[in-house]
Amino acid sequence: MLFGNFHGLPYFKVSEEALFFNLIDQISREMDKDSIAQHEVLVAFLKVFLIESVRQKKKFDKDTVLKFSDRQSEVLQNLVDAIESNYSKLHAPKEYADMLCVSSKTLAGMVKKYLNQTLTCLITNRIIIAAKRELYLTSKPVKQIADALGYEDEFYFSRFFKKKVGVSPDIYRKTVGFAKLEKSQANLL
């Protein structure tokens, strides 16, 4: 998983640039061809590109983790665990700082320095991932999803979702979710 860990850095430093430039060049040349099995060759190049990206990201993550002090590493891991366990109940950074017995300012600084995002962003991203999953995989009403994520007002939740994702929960569901699958199955019948 390249960027699937929403707690990690959203970028990484490539240590073998020549390898990636070579792959990009090969992909570009293959796209200019009109030959047999072109699609399969392009897919193979993309797979190699992604595999190398994952390898580079893992190496970068390993090197980055070594830069944390033991205390910082412990606090950040506890934060990640706390968000994972409580994102549907706790939405404010101060609530997590209090839970970890760290000042809000200190926690915010650590998150910004080592994860290159705000604590609010970490919490929000986890909520959005859960909301998208529910919208995509279930036919639960938005109100029920909002309740499960700790939002009493479904309209507030819908505005929050739209601000972060760019579309309302209903439109998201219709374009990528369960409803789209049901619609395509109905069209087949």
Side-chain angles (χ1 to χ4, degrees), residues 31 41 47 94 96 117 150 154:
M31 288 177 70
V41 171
K47 284 180 180 179
K94 180 162 179 21
Y96 289 97
Q117 53 188 316
E154 97 178 80

Side-chain angles (χ1 to χ4, degrees), residues 22 44 50 73 79 93 97-98 105 110 139 161 184:
N22 185 27
L50 289 173
S73 183
L79 173 63
D98 291 346
K105 188 175 180 178
M110 285 174 57
S139 57
F161 186 90
S184 66

Side-chain angles (χ1 to χ4, degrees), residues 83-165:
I83 291 172
E84 193 59 36
S85 300
N86 299 291
Y87 67 88
S88 63
K89 298 176 287 245
L90 305 177
H91 300 160
K94 180 162 179 21
E95 295 170 310
Y96 289 97
D98 291 346
M99 179 186 291
L100 299 172
C101 301
V102 177
S103 77
S104 296
K105 188 175 180 178
T106 300
L107 188 59
M110 285 174 57
V111 169
K112 185 68 176 167
K113 181 176 181 180
Y114 295 108
L115 302 179
N116 200 35
Q117 53 188 316
T118 65
L119 180 50
T120 301
C121 237
L122 276 179
I123 299 164
T124 299
N125 289 344
R126 183 61 185 100
I127 294 167
I128 293 297
I129 286 170
K132 284 180 173 181
R133 183 178 297 130
E134 289 296 311
L135 290 165
Y136 181 78
L137 297 174
T138 72
S139 57
K140 292 177 186 174
V142 173
K143 180 170 179 34
Q144 188 178 357
I145 294 169
D147 275 344
L149 293 173
Y151 292 89
E152 292 177 17
D153 182 355
E154 97 178 80
F155 300 108
Y156 177 82
F157 171 76
S158 292
R159 287 190 303 275
F160 164 78
F161 186 90
K162 184 173 182 175
K163 182 179 179 184
K164 300 301 177 188
V165 178

Side-chain angles (χ1 to χ4, degrees), residues 172-189:
Y172 180 84
R173 173 175 274 157
K174 287 176 186 170
T175 56
V176 299
F178 192 72
K180 185 176 180 181
L181 177 64
E182 287 178 338
K183 185 178 177 183
S184 66
Q185 288 175 342
N187 289 340
L188 292 174
L189 299 175

